Amino acid sequence: MKFLSNSLKVTFVLMSILFLNGCSSDDESDKTTANIEGVWQLGRMYGKANYNGVNTNLEGDSEGTMEFKTDGTYDNDVISAYITVSIPSMNYSETTPIEASSTSGEYFYDVTTDNLEIDGEMSKVVVLNANYMKIKTLINDSGVTGELFSEYHR
C-alpha cells in the first residue's frame, strides 16, 4: 500500500497548494459570500478514494497558513500535517505525515463562477464565508480516483 500512501501524500500537498477541480453544492449554507483574499488557517481533511476497485477512507489534519494577496499572488506555509488512509474491507489503516513546506505563486479567483486557478491548476470553491472556506478536491493520480474535502478557517 506504499504506492497508495505516496500518491495520497502528493495529492495532499498539491491540494494545500493547488486546490484542484471541485464541485459546488446546492445547499443554501454553502454559498460563497466573502472575499478569498487574506490569511486562512489550514485545517481538517476528509474524503474517499478508489484504487482498482478498493474503496478507501481519507482523514487528516494540517497546521499552517494560506494567504491570498490582493495582487494575485499567494503564500502557502504548511507547518505540519498528516493523512490517514483506511481500507475497511481489508481492516487496514496507515497514517502518513506530510513534510513542512513553504511555497508562493499566482492565483486567480472568479467570484462569478467560484473557479479558482492556482499556478495554472483549476478548482472550485465549495463554501466561502467570512470565517470558513471549504474546497472539494478531485483526486486523479496514478490510478487513484476520489474526492478530498479540505477546510480552512480565519
Side-chain angles (χ1 to χ4, degrees), residues 100-114:
S101 65
S102 294
T103 57
S104 297
E106 296 180 354
Y107 80 95
F108 175 74
Y109 177 59
D110 184 332
V111 296
T112 306
T113 63
D114 293 322

Side-chain angles (χ1 to χ4, degrees), residues 14 18 26 29 39 60 64 72 78 80 82 84 92 103 111 123 139 144:
L14 288 174
L18 308 172
D26 292 329
S29 66
V39 178
V78 177
S80 66
Y82 73 89
T84 299
Y92 171 83
T103 57
V111 296
S123 66
I139 302 167
V144 178

Side-chain angles (χ1 to χ4, degrees), residues 13 17 65 74-79 99-105:
V13 171
I17 299 168
T65 60
Y74 74 89
D75 291 326
N76 184 50
D77 184 24
V78 177
I79 297 169
E99 292 183 20
S101 65
S102 294
T103 57
S104 297

Side-chain angles (χ1 to χ4, degrees), residues 7-20 66 74 76 78 98 101 103 118-119 121 123 135 137-138 140-141 148 152:
S7 177
L8 291 173
K9 182 190 313 184
V10 168
T11 300
F12 167 73
V13 171
L14 288 174
M15 179 270 317
S16 69
I17 299 168
L18 308 172
F19 308 131
L20 301 175
M66 179 78 158
Y74 74 89
N76 184 50
V78 177
I98 307 299
S101 65
T103 57
I118 297 180
D119 294 335
E121 298 292 329
S123 66
I135 305 296
T137 303
L138 296 182
N140 190 2
D141 181 26
L148 183 68
Y152 301 80

Side-chain angles (χ1 to χ4, degrees), residues 18-78:
L18 308 172
F19 308 131
L20 301 175
N21 289 328
C23 304
S24 65
S25 172
D26 292 329
D27 187 358
E28 186 70 21
S29 66
D30 288 352
K31 287 186 175 180
T32 54
T33 59
N35 191 328
I36 197 169
E37 293 169 354
V39 178
W40 293 92
Q41 301 297 315
L42 305 178
R44 180 176 172 245
M45 302 163 288
Y46 57 94
K48 297 184 181 292
N50 184 292
Y51 181 77
N52 289 336
V54 177
N55 292 317
T56 63
N57 296 321
L58 311 170
E59 188 173 327
D61 203 357
S62 58
E63 182 181 348
T65 60
M66 179 78 158
E67 179 180 7
F68 292 100
K69 299 178 183 180
T70 58
D71 65 358
T73 61
Y74 74 89
D75 291 326
N76 184 50
D77 184 24
V78 177

